[in-house]
Amino acid sequence: MNQFLTRRTFILIPIMSIFKIIFKPMEVFASSVSSKDRWNLTKDEWKLRLSPESYYILREEGTERAFSSQLNNEKRKGVFYCAGCDLPLFLSEKKFDSGTGWPSFWDSIEGSIETKIDFKLIVPRTEYHCSRCGGHQGHVFNDGPPPTGKRYCNNGLALRFVPD
Ligand SMILES: [Zn+2]
């Protein structure tokens, strides 16, 4: 019996490694987070996980005061992660000073965000959120710099920056 198990484990390990090699690149290059990877936390679970300020931004589509976030002036190289679920959303290379008082980017990491139209200010705006946890990040406008012409206007409280 023991011998049988050992032999089976011996066969299983290489098979698992092959599976990992096959499926790992698919995860990395997937254009959007698959439905099985999406987070589905309750309000109470989010309240335990986030500060009240971040909860207001991420889960209630709030907006922080302009020039209130230290990330507005962040100029180091690194990655900006979703403050809700740690999905990488933006790279420092694509950050620019928009003068608006909110961290601004001209492109996001592919597949990391999703958009929807919101009518909160009567004029329709394109809201965007993390594709994994659905956390509200900001709004995207068409007055950004080249090459995309986009301006992702992000709440600093919705991001976590990790320098390289
Ligand atoms: Zn997230």
Side-chain angles (χ1 to χ4, degrees), residues 82 84-85 130 133:
C82 172
C85 74
C130 169
C133 73

Side-chain angles (χ1 to χ4, degrees), residues 82-100:
C82 172
C85 74
D86 275 339
L87 187 73
L89 304 181
F90 296 100
L91 300 173
S92 58
E93 291 93 306
K94 296 177 178 180
K95 188 176 189 284
F96 71 102
D97 187 0
S98 64
T100 58

Side-chain angles (χ1 to χ4, degrees), residues 91-150:
L91 300 173
S92 58
E93 291 93 306
K94 296 177 178 180
K95 188 176 189 284
F96 71 102
D97 187 0
S98 64
T100 58
W102 288 282
S104 303
F105 305 86
W106 50 263
D107 202 6
S108 59
I109 293 173
E110 202 189 334
S112 68
I113 61 155
E114 292 172 338
T115 60
K116 76 170 200 287
I117 305 296
D118 97 29
F119 295 89
K120 276 190 172 176
L121 296 182
I122 302 162
V123 182
R125 293 180 302 169
T126 306
E127 184 274 351
Y128 66 92
H129 48 271
C130 169
S131 65
R132 181 159 68 184
C133 73
H136 170 67
Q137 293 290 329
H139 290 86
V140 57
F141 303 91
N142 288 318
D143 56 10
T148 60
K150 300 280 184 199

